[in-house]
Amino acid sequence: MEELLGLLDRLTVILGELTAVQKDVAASVHEDDLIRLGECMKKEQALSLSLRNIDQKRLRLQQQMGLEKITLSALPEQIDSMELREKVKDAAERLSAQYRIMQSAAEVARSALECSLHQVENMIAGLGLDPEHVKDHTITTGGPHTDFRA
């Protein structure tokens, strides 16, 4: 059970880090900082892989404990020791709360990205080009890092 508590705590930490990245994504979009946005995407991918890995360990551990069908919110009820039950309940509540915070930050980042994309599409349309047609072509600007997919 202590190992499960450790995994729940680690999941909470990673979700906190992912939340910070989502906030940084939104800030990068608002500041038109594509380099920083790219770094955020790399961090997000690495954290997502870590999150998936730890969650798989949690699922395996719950399976070994005979608790594979038990949801996170119902997990404390499965524990006999009152002290351990409270620890698991607190860890589950922290994890759930951090997940909700991360979801909110991700929604803000997604909205910022969509808004920025819409502005780019309007600029392309303002140039007399069809944004759907431009998506299928590479645009060359002439400087370093010049080729990109529109």
Side-chain angles (χ1 to χ4, degrees):
M1 192 54 67
E2 291 296 327
E3 187 177 350
L4 182 59
L5 278 170
L7 290 175
L8 294 177
D9 287 341
R10 184 69 186 129
L11 285 169
T12 302
V13 168
I14 291 175
L15 284 175
E17 292 172 5
L18 201 49
T19 300
V21 170
Q22 295 301 319
K23 290 177 181 178
D24 203 21
V25 164
S28 299
V29 170
H30 289 298
E31 296 169 12
D32 294 326
D33 189 341
L34 293 178
I35 293 172
R36 185 168 142 202
L37 181 60
E39 291 169 0
C40 289
M41 298 298 174
K42 289 177 189 174
K43 287 178 192 174
E44 181 179 34
Q45 187 175 30
L47 288 170
S48 294
L49 289 173
S50 294
L51 192 62
R52 187 176 310 129
N53 182 35
I54 292 171
D55 197 44
Q56 287 174 347
K57 288 179 184 177
R58 179 193 60 83
L59 289 172
R60 280 193 302 272
L61 185 58
Q62 277 188 240
Q63 186 176 28
Q64 291 170 0
M65 298 170 73
L67 302 171
E68 66 271 8
K69 304 267 185 197
I70 306 300
T71 62
L72 185 61
S73 60
L75 188 59
E77 299 166 10
Q78 304 299 314
I79 299 168
D80 294 332
S81 164
M82 194 61 143
E83 180 183 337
L84 203 49
R85 180 182 300 163
E86 283 303 311
K87 285 182 179 181
V88 171
K89 182 181 176 190
D90 290 344
E93 287 174 354
R94 283 191 309 272
L95 178 58
S96 294
Q98 186 59 57
Y99 180 74
R100 288 189 298 276
I101 293 167
M102 191 276 303
Q103 280 185 311
S104 295
E107 180 63 28
V108 169
R110 186 183 66 76
S111 294
L113 285 166
E114 287 177 354
C115 183
S116 183
L117 180 60
H118 184 68
Q119 290 173 343
V120 169
E121 288 175 346
N122 284 340
M123 288 181 356
I124 290 171
L127 294 172
L129 303 171
D130 178 7
E132 290 300 316
H133 179 71
V134 173
K135 287 180 184 177
D136 297 329
H137 292 78
T138 301
I139 298 174
T140 304
T141 60
H145 310 288
T146 56
D147 292 341
F148 67 93
R149 284 279 198 213

